Amino acid sequence: MQDFDAVIVGAGAAGLFCAGIAGQRGRRVLLIDHSAKVAEKIRISGGGRANFTNRDLDPRAPQKHFVGENPNFCRSALSRYTPADFIALMDRHGIAWHEKHKGQLFCDRSADDLIQMLLRECDAGGVTRWQPCAVSTVRQGGDGAYELDTDRGPVRAPRLVVATGGLPIPQIGASDFGLRLAAQFGLRMVEPRPALVPLTFDGAAWAPYADLAGLALPVRIDTGDKKTRMAFDEDLLFTHRGLSGPAVLQISSYWRAGTPLRIDLAPTVALADELADAKRRSHKRLANELAAWVPARLADAWTAQDADWQRPVMETGDKALARLAERLQRWEITPTGTEGWRKAEVMRGGVDTRDLNQQTLESRQSGLYFIGEVVDVTGWLGGYNFQWAWASAHACAQAL
Ligand SMILES: Cc1cc2nc3c(=O)[nH]c(=O)nc-3n(C[C@H](O)[C@H](O)[C@H](O)COP(=O)(O)OP(=O)(O)OC[C@H]3O[C@@H](n4cnc5c(N)ncnc54)[C@H](O)[C@@H]3O)c2cc1C
């Protein structure tokens, strides 16, 4: 039996970061991951350049960009380790980065720079890394220490950190290890479901839009539900099975099965007024006129849905024009489902934060910690999920 001060299971964003800090604070750390490749999710993130944090995260109200049963839970960790702290670390390692849309920061070269940085931090802390290595059982010994049976023999430590992430993309190593372990020790769970995920629609209801696959346009999208209303101004992408793009990924984290979404497909114009005006001056077909405000393919598909909309705009009745404007600016549509774990970027739900300490990420089960995506804290698209991984790992490492 080998002894360590802490064993961390999961060498992804949170596990690597936590191991490096704890090691540099003098702890003897073992980091275990069942995958042969290190941090595959970082490697594929942000189109291969890792959107590693977001400058718009508000240190006074960091919970604004996070979803979960208790969005305030993440506040302590996020305000003690901010995007500026992570940027300073990147700068110390000489990793060039740039800002894109809405405060999103990406590596200039490749996500691999970020992975190598995390590995160097682990080396600086003398972290022992076993990878690939599977953990078969975890139990608590009489002295309260955790004993793990692994591919490379049994290990023991008074502290066990679970950083095994969420369920998305099982083909690159995601597993329910963390959720099962939480259940084994009697911790509560918020039901996991795919988030930041494309939404799908029924065959027949979707037929008028099926030919629009590949079309992208800026929209305003909202949940339409008065109580939990949430809206995003982002790009929408039509796919063969439904809708995707940043607008839909963002809203998917708030969408409840069976409820409709409302989409404004021409968010920057007062379409009813524009069409009424066009009727006074234009001889064009309605679809051609409409193409001044929305992509031509969309204008064609939309007007094809109603015989009243297939005439020159001048000959179209006022009511028909108003109906068209209403349909385009308050398109109400109910998804039948999501593309699931294969396509989701993150997991909503996870270990219930009521059973975790927000300062240390230690659970009600003494010596057992949960960090990163396995916890019921889900960030918006745009670097917020990595920032949660860094901040929760940092908070935990301080406590180990
Ligand atoms: C396609 C895609 C793109 C993304 N892009 C971004 C982005 O640009 N910006 C952003 O902020 N977020 C992004 N995310 C989300 C982000 O990758 C995750 O939120 C983040 O990696 C979570 O960190 P984590 O350490 O909790 O989990 P992970 O990084 O997933 O690490 C978990 C680790 O645990 C290991 N593991 C799992 N089960 C076991 C087991 N049974 N035994 C041992 N080890 C195990 C896994 O192999 C993995 O290495 C993206 C996600 C996806 C899927």
Side-chain angles (χ1 to χ4, degrees), residues 94-396:
I95 299 175
W97 51 268
H98 59 280
E99 182 166 345
K100 275 196 185 165
H101 181 66
K102 298 190 174 175
Q104 301 169 0
L105 305 190
F106 289 77
C107 298
D108 275 4
R109 249 170 39 107
S110 139
D112 192 51
D113 287 347
L114 177 51
I115 298 171
Q116 295 309 321
M117 176 185 91
L118 295 170
L119 290 173
R120 282 197 297 278
E121 288 287 313
C122 284
D123 288 345
V127 172
T128 304
R129 189 160 56 90
W130 289 355
Q131 192 165 1
C133 175
V135 176
S136 50
T137 52
V138 177
R139 63 188 166 271
Q140 210 174 11
D143 57 355
Y146 292 91
E147 295 171 1
L148 285 72
D149 292 321
T150 82
D151 283 357
R152 304 199 190 182
V155 291
R156 182 170 54 196
R159 310 237 191 281
L160 174 59
V161 181
V162 181
T164 47
L167 297 176
I169 329 254
Q171 55 278 34
I172 59 163
S175 85
D176 65 354
F177 178 90
L179 303 178
R180 278 190 286 114
L181 200 73
Q184 179 187 332
F185 286 101
L187 305 178
R188 286 171 285 187
M189 190 82 54
V190 176
E191 197 194 336
R193 59 186 172 93
L196 297 183
V197 63
L199 298 172
T200 54
F201 296 83
D202 230 0
W206 193 245
Y209 316 108
D211 287 346
L212 293 175
L215 179 72
L217 73 161
V219 303
R220 164 160 268 246
I221 190 163
D222 74 64
T223 45
D225 173 351
K226 273 196 196 121
K227 262 198 199 152
T228 56
R229 184 139 186 214
M230 197 64 209
F232 291 95
D233 292 296
E234 288 282 4
D235 281 358
L236 175 86
L237 174 70
F238 284 84
T239 70
H240 288 288
R241 285 163 44 88
L243 295 172
S244 186
V248 168
L249 299 186
Q250 293 282 40
I251 210 77
S252 71
S253 298
Y254 293 86
W255 175 70
R256 297 252 159 224
T259 63
L261 294 174
R262 253 195 343 230
I263 306 177
D264 181 347
L265 292 160
T268 57
V269 290
L271 203 55
D273 295 347
E274 295 289 357
L275 289 173
D277 182 52
K279 180 173 171 163
R280 284 193 286 275
R281 57 169 170 73
S282 170
H283 295 274
K284 286 185 193 168
R285 270 176 62 235
L286 180 53
N288 293 356
E289 196 56 53
L290 196 56
W293 302 291
V294 299
R297 276 172 73 196
L298 181 67
D300 285 337
W302 221 265
T303 50
Q305 295 177 55
D306 190 324
D308 289 346
W309 296 339
Q310 284 159 37
R311 306 180 184 163
V313 61
M314 228 167 217
E315 295 167 23
T316 309
D318 293 345
K319 280 193 182 148
L321 287 182
R323 203 166 64 241
L324 176 62
E326 166 87 6
R327 279 286 315 276
L328 273 163
Q329 296 209 282
R330 284 174 64 90
W331 183 29
E332 201 164 287
I333 186 157
T334 304
T336 35
T338 77
E339 290 282 5
W341 296 115
R342 259 179 358 97
K343 293 276 178 75
E345 283 202 10
V346 285
M347 171 175 85
R348 246 205 94 157
V351 179
D352 194 322
T353 55
R354 287 178 298 174
D355 288 345
L356 301 178
N357 179 319
Q358 59 182 330
Q359 311 275 338
T360 61
L361 282 302
E362 186 174 12
S363 67
R364 273 197 296 113
Q365 167 71 28
S366 173
L368 180 62
Y369 298 73
F370 291 84
I371 58 175
E373 198 179 315
V374 71
V375 177
D376 175 32
V377 171
T378 305
W380 283 15
L381 189 74
Y384 295 99
N385 286 295
F386 278 142
Q387 188 59 36
W388 167 246
W390 317 137
S392 57
H394 175 265
C396 172

